Amino acid sequence: MIDDPVRVARAYLSRVAEPPAPALAAFVAEHGPVRAARLVRDGMVPTDVDRQTSARRARDRAEEDLRQMAAQGGRLVIPEDDEWPDWPFQALTMAAARRLRCGLAPLALWVRGKGNLAESTDRAVAVVGSRSASGYGLHVAAEFGYGLAEAGMTVVSGAAYGIDGAAHRGALAAGGSTIAVLACGVDVAYPAGHERLLAEILEQGLVISEYPPNHSPARHRFLTRNRLIAALGDGTVVVEAGRRSGAKNTAATTSALGRVLMAVPGPVTSSSSSGCNELLRAGDAVPVTSVAEVVESVGRLGFDLVEATGNRDVPPQGDAMRVLEALDPMFPVPTRAVAVESGVELARVEALLPELEAIGAAERIDMGWKRTPEGTWRGDT
Amino acid sequence: MIDDPVRVARAYLSRVAEPPAPALAAFVAEHGPVRAARLVRDGMVPTDVDRQTSARRARDRAEEDLRQMAAQGGRLVIPEDDEWPDWPFQALTMAAARRLRCGLAPLALWVRGKGNLAESTDRAVAVVGSRSASGYGLHVAAEFGYGLAEAGMTVVSGAAYGIDGAAHRGALAAGGSTIAVLACGVDVAYPAGHERLLAEILEQGLVISEYPPNHSPARHRFLTRNRLIAALGDGTVVVEAGRRSGAKNTAATTSALGRVLMAVPGPVTSSSSSGCNELLRAGDAVPVTSVAEVVESVGRLGFDLVEATGNRDVPPQGDAMRVLEALDPMFPVPTRAVAVESGVELARVEALLPELEAIGAAERIDMGWKRTPEGTWRGDT
């Protein structure tokens, strides 16, 4: 790993600024990681980048970090790797373009555990909720974790006490895949009481973080981390959340990224469920009462489309089909007009169009989007 | 009561056919109750009316029924009375015009108890749910019954075991008004275990039925009765319902009548809540977690409108205002076009337009509806 100058550069960059650092990210995009790292180290950067990097630029622990990670069976996954979750992070890049606070893909990810990160996030659902969960919440989180893993989905969560832990444990019990996204270094056992759970996740799934080794957690880092949880899932299930739970931050980010937000209804007499019931009443989240409903809600675009196009008797369903039908085969339609025409929220349209492009159903032309012949096959019947 | 030929005629008609009897209702509307009753008694009726009345037409117990009711402190309320709930039943008449099964106002109502029926249903909410309720459901039903009564709303329900009983009891405990709509005669104590509850309701509220005295309950009568519960409330709250609960019938009728359907979210692990959670997931019901949310959801058209028009800083809210804004002050707009323009469901538009007319904000012209100067005041700013 130390032989790869790009990886060494990104290891340095991952420690030099506190994420999210939009100026540094733009600087890296402009100059490439190796040159950007050298310029940062030499202080030859514009003011906004300097502001984000000056405090730590002299502290170059890149090779040491990479060596330590390797010794712990870990690695640094970078955007240049096949393993990089390109697809899930597109939503972050798009959100950054819209200047949303939750935007910005990480510069690199520190990863420990078994399996390929890109493959693990190919079909994934985030399961989140309060630390101070009720017996009901813990039960549902474990059931959902188990059932989603059984259904072949990776369970993404934050390794916190309460709902997070129960979801991870459920997935592990099913022998499935799970990803813990930390707000500290992947070598830091936090929370302390979950040291053993984190060790178990390493055996069967992945523990990841954009923070370098040894970094300790901090309040703002949980919020920054939440955007990765929301981005890595095809949707987020809020199992139980009080009115002020941090899970509501992940929920808001999920919607902002155009991902499917789901909430588990709970007793109106339970303050642990008040956040979920509030999301439902506001119409911000889809209620889900079973694993089957979660799978149905997140759907799977490529798969759904094949199903829909392959069987003309089944009417097209879901946001993706509505977006597709809002496109014209001849004239490019601007994204905002697609949202109006389809009745699907703009953020979700912005997330779906590139997915439709990836499966060959839509293509971007100038300032708008067209339906391709593949997308037209079902769309016009 | 026996001196009034119209009341005697309607007493006879209320027993001669099994409700809902659309052919008989149309016959009464055409000939008036007195002449219709005579013609039915003499068998001088068209085939469809004959089919609905031939089995019972010889059995004239009208005066006896009225005398017995009076002896029990009851009465027959008829459409010709001021006390008739004209307003709530308009939705039934409109549903009948659309040939919906749940349509058709009753020919008369047998009523026992305190208070004026029209006044009691001026601000009312139906609270329904399973007979086999959980402790959670019973608790919420009682709380809602109490809170709604405290908020000055009449609690309408079916006096069944479980949720119904808890809702009535909650309203009684708050010293409020409650109406039990029975699927049998109002002198029949059904269910037997609720004999005392029914007696308490008589002291403080009303027990009503479209079935004549001594009539026993039957399965199909509960379904027929449910439409009255749905019609008498400004909205219906389903507190707890299994997947096959009769409350789901009342729920469907509520939506068909254009009333607000609400459901209380419950644990996804509880089969008693599965019907409610299903209504929420399908988007058929609005989730409500508190009395305040119920009151907010049913709103109150006249009141809301005054609020909205009285304060220009507050943007208009709710379906009524959307409907009002879809009207033009100059050109009548057909009902269907109002639905398209406002984005409010047709059934709800059909329920709201006459309400807007009643408060002087809209008027019916030929085949469409116009906004009046009163309705225009706020509508055009």
Side-chain angles (χ1 to χ4, degrees):
Chain A
M1 284 175 108
I2 301 164
D3 303 337
D4 176 358
V6 177
R7 200 171 311 274
V8 174
R10 286 202 179 262
Y12 169 77
L13 292 166
S14 98
R15 192 182 275 281
V16 80
E18 181 71 26
L24 176 62
F27 191 70
V28 172
E30 186 186 346
H31 297 284
V34 176
R35 189 174 141 84
R38 197 176 57 238
L39 291 170
V40 168
R41 209 180 288 110
D42 298 343
M44 308 289 285
V45 293
T47 323
D48 55 350
V49 178
D50 190 62
R51 209 175 293 126
Q52 291 172 354
T53 55
S54 60
R56 299 187 196 156
R57 71 183 160 93
R59 194 157 170 239
D60 187 351
R61 302 186 31 162
E63 299 196 2
E64 205 177 326
D65 282 341
L66 288 168
R67 236 182 248 116
Q68 185 195 327
M69 247 319 87
Q72 291 175 339
R75 59 200 187 274
L76 183 71
V77 175
I78 57 178
E80 291 79 5
D81 291 335
D82 289 343
E83 194 187 346
W84 186 253
D86 226 341
W87 196 244
F89 284 165
Q90 283 214 7
L92 291 173
T93 309
M94 280 188 294
R98 285 161 58 209
R99 292 170 188 278
L100 293 180
R101 265 192 64 128
C102 62
L104 211 59
L107 289 166
L109 282 173
W110 298 91
V111 175
R112 290 175 74 196
K114 297 264 163 57
N116 175 296
L117 182 57
E119 283 170 15
S120 298
T121 52
D122 184 37
R123 295 195 70 190
V125 172
V127 179
V128 301
S130 297
R131 271 180 291 261
S132 57
S134 75
Y136 166 64
L138 295 174
H139 172 82
V140 172
E143 287 281 313
F144 276 33
Y146 189 97
L148 287 168
E150 255 196 340
M153 318 274 289
T154 295
V155 174
V156 181
S157 196
Y161 291 132
I163 299 299
D164 287 16
H168 286 303
R169 283 199 184 91
L172 291 174
S177 168
T178 189
I179 299 178
V181 187
L182 305 189
C184 56
V186 291
D187 56 340
V188 178
Y190 185 91
H194 275 178
E195 183 167 6
R196 185 163 160 194
L197 172 63
L198 287 165
E200 284 169 9
I201 293 173
L202 287 183
E203 290 302 308
Q204 208 170 306
L206 297 167
V207 176
I208 71 173
S209 176
E210 67 180 317
Y211 297 101
N214 275 310
H215 237 54
S216 56
R219 193 174 164 72
H220 65 93
R221 286 184 189 140
F222 289 102
L223 296 175
T224 302
R225 179 275 313 263
N226 288 347
R227 82 189 197 288
L228 301 184
I229 294 179
L232 288 173
D234 296 319
T236 299
V237 181
V238 185
V239 174
E240 210 176 46
R243 233 168 265 272
R244 263 175 272 254
S245 166
K248 293 188 74 180
N249 169 260
T250 313
T253 305
T254 299
S255 299
L257 295 180
R259 299 276 195 265
V260 181
L261 179 62
M262 296 155 279
V264 176
V268 301
T269 46
S270 161
S271 61
S272 307
S273 279
S274 58
C276 286
N277 289 333
E278 205 177 68
L279 287 171
L280 296 176
R281 179 155 167 87
D284 292 336
V286 179
V288 286
T289 68
S290 66
V291 169
E293 289 179 1
V294 174
V295 172
E296 186 193 321
S297 294
V298 295
R300 228 219 141 181
L301 186 60
F303 179 74
D304 294 346
L305 196 69
V306 169
E307 286 275 289
T309 51
N311 183 348
R312 282 160 183 265
D313 297 334
V314 177
Q317 287 185 346
D319 295 343
M321 290 307 295
R322 285 165 65 195
V323 167
L324 188 56
E325 296 202 329
L327 300 183
D328 189 276
M330 304 288 288
F331 307 100
V333 183
T335 308
R336 196 167 292 270
V338 175
V340 172
E341 175 66 23
S342 64
V344 175
E345 266 185 302
L346 185 60
R348 182 116 181 91
V349 170
E350 283 176 337
L352 286 171
L353 283 169
E355 294 193 37
L356 287 166
E357 184 177 35
I359 60 167
E363 60 181 324
R364 195 192 305 251
I365 310 265
D366 299 329
M367 299 300 289
W369 292 83
K370 262 176 55 175
R371 214 194 295 149
T372 63
E374 284 76 11
T376 305
W377 175 32
R378 178 63 184 79
D380 276 347
T381 60
Chain B
M1 281 177 108
I2 300 163
D3 303 334
D4 176 357
V6 177
R7 200 171 311 274
V8 174
R10 287 207 179 258
Y12 169 77
L13 292 166
S14 97
R15 192 182 275 282
V16 80
E18 180 73 24
L24 177 61
F27 191 70
V28 172
E30 187 185 344
H31 297 283
V34 177
R35 189 175 143 83
R38 196 175 57 239
L39 291 169
V40 168
R41 210 180 288 113
D42 297 344
M44 308 288 285
V45 294
T47 323
D48 54 351
V49 178
D50 190 61
R51 210 176 291 128
Q52 290 173 355
T53 55
S54 61
R56 300 188 196 155
R57 68 183 162 91
R59 197 159 169 236
D60 188 352
R61 302 187 29 161
E63 298 197 3
E64 205 177 327
D65 282 342
L66 287 169
R67 235 182 250 115
Q68 185 193 327
M69 245 323 85
Q72 291 175 339
R75 60 200 186 272
L76 183 70
V77 176
I78 58 178
E80 290 80 5
D81 292 334
D82 288 343
E83 195 188 348
W84 185 252
D86 225 342
W87 197 242
F89 284 164
Q90 283 215 7
L92 292 173
T93 309
M94 280 189 291
R98 285 161 60 210
R99 292 169 187 280
L100 292 182
R101 267 191 61 132
C102 63
L104 213 56
L107 289 166
L109 282 174
W110 298 91
V111 174
R112 289 175 75 196
K114 298 261 162 60
N116 175 296
L117 183 57
E119 282 169 16
S120 299
T121 52
D122 183 39
R123 294 194 69 187
V125 172
V127 179
V128 301
S130 297
R131 271 180 290 261
S132 56
S134 74
Y136 166 64
L138 295 174
H139 171 82
V140 173
E143 287 279 314
F144 276 33
Y146 189 97
L148 288 167
E150 254 196 340
M153 319 274 290
T154 296
V155 174
V156 181
S157 195
Y161 291 132
I163 299 300
D164 287 15
H168 286 303
R169 283 198 185 91
L172 292 174
S177 167
T178 187
I179 299 178
V181 188
L182 304 189
C184 56
V186 291
D187 56 339
V188 178
Y190 184 91
H194 275 178
E195 184 167 3
R196 187 164 159 193
L197 172 64
L198 287 165
E200 284 168 9
I201 293 173
L202 287 183
E203 290 303 308
Q204 207 169 308
L206 297 168
V207 176
I208 71 174
S209 176
E210 67 181 317
Y211 298 102
N214 275 310
H215 237 56
S216 56
R219 191 175 165 72
H220 65 92
R221 287 185 189 141
F222 289 102
L223 296 176
T224 302
R225 180 274 315 262
N226 288 347
R227 81 189 197 291
L228 301 184
I229 294 178
L232 289 174
D234 296 318
T236 300
V237 181
V238 186
V239 174
E240 208 175 48
R243 232 169 268 272
R244 262 175 274 253
S245 166
K248 293 188 74 179
N249 169 260
T250 313
T253 305
T254 300
S255 298
L257 296 181
R259 298 274 194 268
V260 181
L261 179 61
M262 295 155 278
V264 176
V268 301
T269 48
S270 162
S271 61
S272 308
S273 281
S274 58
C276 286
N277 289 333
E278 208 177 65
L279 288 171
L280 295 176
R281 181 157 167 85
D284 293 335
V286 179
V288 284
T289 68
S290 66
V291 169
E293 289 179 2
V294 174
V295 173
E296 184 193 323
S297 293
V298 295
R300 225 218 143 181
L301 186 58
F303 180 74
D304 293 346
L305 197 68
V306 169
E307 286 276 289
T309 51
N311 182 350
R312 282 161 184 264
D313 297 335
V314 177
Q317 286 186 347
D319 295 345
M321 289 306 296
R322 285 166 64 193
V323 167
L324 186 58
E325 296 204 327
L327 300 182
D328 189 275
M330 303 289 289
F331 307 102
V333 183
T335 308
R336 198 168 291 272
V338 175
V340 172
E341 177 65 23
S342 64
V344 175
E345 266 186 302
L346 185 60
R348 183 117 180 89
V349 170
E350 283 175 337
L352 286 171
L353 282 170
E355 294 193 36
L356 287 167
E357 185 177 34
I359 59 166
E363 61 181 324
R364 194 193 306 250
I365 310 264
D366 300 328
M367 299 300 287
W369 292 82
K370 262 177 54 177
R371 214 195 294 152
T372 64
E374 282 76 12
T376 304
W377 176 31
R378 178 64 185 79
D380 275 345
T381 60

